[in-house]
Amino acid sequence: MKRLAILGSTGSIGQSTLSIVEQFPERYAVASLAAGRNLEEAFAQVARWRPRLISMATEELAGQLAARLREAGISGVEVAHGTAGTVAIATLPEADFVVSAIVGVAGLEATHAAIVAGKPVGLANKECMVAAGEILTRAARERNVPILPIDSEHNAVHQCLRVGAHAEVKAIWLTASGGPFRQTPLEQFASITPEQALKHPTWVMGRRITIDSATMLNKGLEVIEACRLFDVGPEKVRVTVHPQSTVHSLVEYVDGSILAQISVTDMRLPILYALAYPERPASSLTFDLAKLRHLDFEEPDFERFPCLRLAFEAAAKGGAHCIALNAADEVAVEAFLDRKIPFLGIPRTIEQVLAATPESHPGTIAEVLAADGEARERARSSIRP
Ligand code: MG
């Protein structure tokens, strides 16, 4: 029986994780939940799962949840809050496995604390790996703690890597849907609206990641994530545009063999894989091969998607440049959604911030967060007229 600590339990990955627990009660139980700001959902999750500890984003929300639990006569559940609360969730002694699914760098300290505490981590938070991958992977290696990717592409790569040796890998191929503007004429990019950019062809996701898919910055973050998770340089990571999103990624070996992972586009499968690794439990997430007609693969267009080029450049420099790429993008996406900058202002802002970022390699989480703050400030001042 694995007892789970879930960071980001009310988000879509958190809820999918709980549906896996529901489906496999003989394998998984809930130890602790970091729920963020959604009080209703947090209350429902405590009532259903009775964790030992739950954490809310703020002290006020924690107080409200505690009062609701008292009214409902639910006892024995401790309510914490803030970063200290999230860290307590991740390091709870009885938790055997941590699902890291808080969006953004907010989950960074807790994810690091989980690894330092020797807990295996299922990682759905790519910003953690982009901003602090050098620190997280080093800590994990030193303690022999597995980090199992839940991001669908990296999960696919992890599966394909099980059949060969590290030195035999020629290239890791990350597939990209290409987003909604794969075929949009270049001259129309200047007038793309938030409404157009928020329509993703294959996945329903949060707002930032949907915009990041439209600019392909998301794929760029995944390139950096792949470098860190699989210990390869960016020259070994390739992106291929695969509009069907059926092949979740591929690994090319030096002998010429290419292994691909195909499955339904349902995040419960990578979550189940990460939770059960190295086992493969039987599931109902089947893929109908007979319905498969086309598998198209195209070269990505770096002119159309400058964010992808910027990400490869940041990946080559590592350290502060990867932190700045992620931070500047988050600020720029917010500004685009608020109609303060145009769609093409996103890569422009990132490029300016990267150019102003001195090369450095933060060695602690505190230094990562400081570099993140600096990059955000640079992005904000480059957006301000
Ligand atoms: Mg992905």
Side-chain angles (χ1 to χ4, degrees), residues 187-210:
E187 58 273 17
Q188 287 175 22
F189 271 58
S191 57
I192 287 171
T193 64
E195 290 72 26
Q196 291 170 317
L198 283 169
K199 277 190 198 125
H200 191 272
T202 42
W203 294 94
V204 178
M205 307 173 290
R207 278 157 62 91
R208 180 186 170 199
I209 190 171
T210 305

Side-chain angles (χ1 to χ4, degrees), residues 169-252:
V169 173
K170 185 176 178 190
I172 286 172
W173 288 88
L174 300 178
T175 53
S177 71
F181 307 126
R182 188 171 56 89
Q183 290 166 322
T184 304
L186 205 50
E187 58 273 17
Q188 287 175 22
F189 271 58
S191 57
I192 287 171
T193 64
E195 290 72 26
Q196 291 170 317
L198 283 169
K199 277 190 198 125
H200 191 272
T202 42
W203 294 94
V204 178
M205 307 173 290
R207 278 157 62 91
R208 180 186 170 199
I209 190 171
T210 305
I211 301 300
D212 283 350
S213 298
T215 61
M216 289 195 78
L217 190 276
N218 178 55
K219 209 50 56 180
L221 296 178
E222 290 180 355
V223 168
I224 298 169
E225 192 185 0
C227 292
R228 269 85 190 262
L229 278 169
F230 307 121
D231 196 20
V232 295
E235 70 288 347
K236 277 201 175 178
V237 183
R238 310 284 300 273
V239 172
T240 180
V241 175
H242 169 49
Q244 292 86 9
S245 300
T246 299
V247 174
H248 296 299
S249 278
L250 315 91
V251 173
E252 180 176 2

Side-chain angles (χ1 to χ4, degrees), residues 126 151-153 218-219 222:
K126 72 188 68 176
D151 205 352
S152 62
E153 293 80 358
N218 178 55
K219 209 50 56 180
E222 290 180 355

Side-chain angles (χ1 to χ4, degrees), residues 279-291:
E279 291 172 43
R280 285 186 186 272
S283 93
S284 55
L285 299 163
T286 49
F287 179 84
D288 189 354
L289 211 47
K291 289 202 177 119

